[in-house]
Amino acid sequence: MKETTIYIPNLSLGNTKSVVNMINRLGGEVIIANTPEELLNAQKIILPGVGSFDVGMQELNDGKWIEVLNRLVLNDKIPILGICLGMQFFFDSSEEGVLPGLGWIPGKLRRFVSNEENPIKVPHMGWNAVKVRKSGGLIPQQEEELRYYFVHSYHAVCANNDDVIATAYHGSDITAAVQHDNIYGFQFHPEKSHRFGMDLLKTFLSV
């Protein structure tokens, strides 16, 4: 198996095809794991996702994915990248639902609030500049403005600021990217962010 082989759990959480296409364009190979057992050979994992928190967590529970993911990520320290809802699963909980998250990164998801004092669009949708807060992650610090494509109504509030790699501004500074040891997450969609997103996925291939 090549070092640039990425495993993706076969879940009905959307946008998997776009991620596969981008990885293939970068010269990587994607293996879709149809069962948790097929995921056991993974050396790198991407967990993409769009939709609601509880629906996604229920699918992970029902498909018995969580035990295998915990073993690979927490025990074996396999690098994993969560995208959008996939990243949100890494946290303890979400205001969107009642089911617990994976609990890999301390914190919770809060819904954007728009009011007269701070009117913002919900969901947060479109291109947004991202500011790197911590070097050494997947997002490089550079002079050029980095812009990525977002679509989300809930944003991560990390209990530990050291887990926040980058932020974006939408009414206030929000978490755009996280890293906790071998666990990486993007709130935005790198697979929809053209060359900026390609650079990030290319870096993950080389982790």
Side-chain angles (χ1 to χ4, degrees):
M1 184 172 62
K2 297 187 299 183
E3 290 186 0
T4 53
T5 298
I6 301 289
Y7 276 69
I8 298 179
N10 190 8
L11 305 169
S12 61
L13 300 176
N15 83 323
T16 297
K17 185 176 180 180
S18 298
V19 175
V20 171
N21 290 340
M22 184 73 86
I23 295 297
N24 288 338
R25 285 181 63 185
L26 291 167
E29 178 186 356
V30 176
I31 294 176
I32 303 296
N34 293 306
T35 66
E37 290 72 26
E38 292 180 13
L39 199 61
L40 290 172
N41 292 323
Q43 294 302 309
K44 290 190 184 76
I45 301 169
I46 291 181
L47 186 60
V50 294
S52 69
F53 188 87
D54 273 10
V55 170
M57 284 306 305
Q58 191 65 57
E59 186 170 357
L60 288 173
N61 275 298
D62 291 346
K64 304 188 186 311
W65 293 95
I66 294 178
E67 181 179 352
V68 169
L69 285 169
N70 281 336
R71 171 179 162 184
L72 291 171
V73 175
L74 301 181
N75 296 341
D76 299 344
K77 300 298 181 182
I78 297 299
I80 187 169
L81 170 62
I83 296 174
C84 196
L85 182 64
M87 182 198 89
Q88 294 184 358
F89 293 148
F90 296 168
F91 290 87
D92 297 317
S93 63
S94 173
E95 290 182 348
E96 186 177 18
V98 298
L99 293 180
L102 295 169
W104 294 345
I105 298 179
K108 70 181 298 181
L109 282 301
R110 297 192 182 277
R111 181 172 172 81
F112 284 114
V113 176
S114 180
N115 52 46
E116 291 183 2
E117 294 180 358
N118 188 27
I120 58 174
K121 291 183 178 180
V122 181
H124 173 212
M125 181 181 298
W127 291 85
N128 204 313
V130 164
K131 186 171 184 178
V132 179
R133 298 292 182 179
K134 188 176 178 182
S135 61
L138 296 181
I139 305 178
Q141 285 185 317
Q142 54 190 44
E143 293 183 4
E144 180 184 17
E145 183 179 71
L146 300 171
R147 298 179 65 81
Y148 303 99
Y149 188 81
F150 290 78
V151 183
H152 61 122
S153 298
Y154 295 81
H155 61 100
V157 179
C158 292
N160 186 346
N161 285 333
D162 285 343
D163 292 330
V164 180
I165 298 301
T167 59
Y169 188 84
H170 188 61
S172 62
D173 283 335
I174 62 165
T175 301
V178 295
Q179 181 184 351
H180 185 87
D181 297 329
N182 54 305
I183 302 166
Y184 304 85
F186 298 144
Q187 181 58 71
F188 52 83
H189 289 272
E191 78 281 4
K192 297 180 180 179
S193 299
H194 306 316
R195 65 181 178 88
F196 296 110
M198 287 185 71
D199 287 345
L200 300 187
L201 292 174
K202 185 178 181 179
T203 301
F204 184 68
L205 286 174
S206 65
V207 167

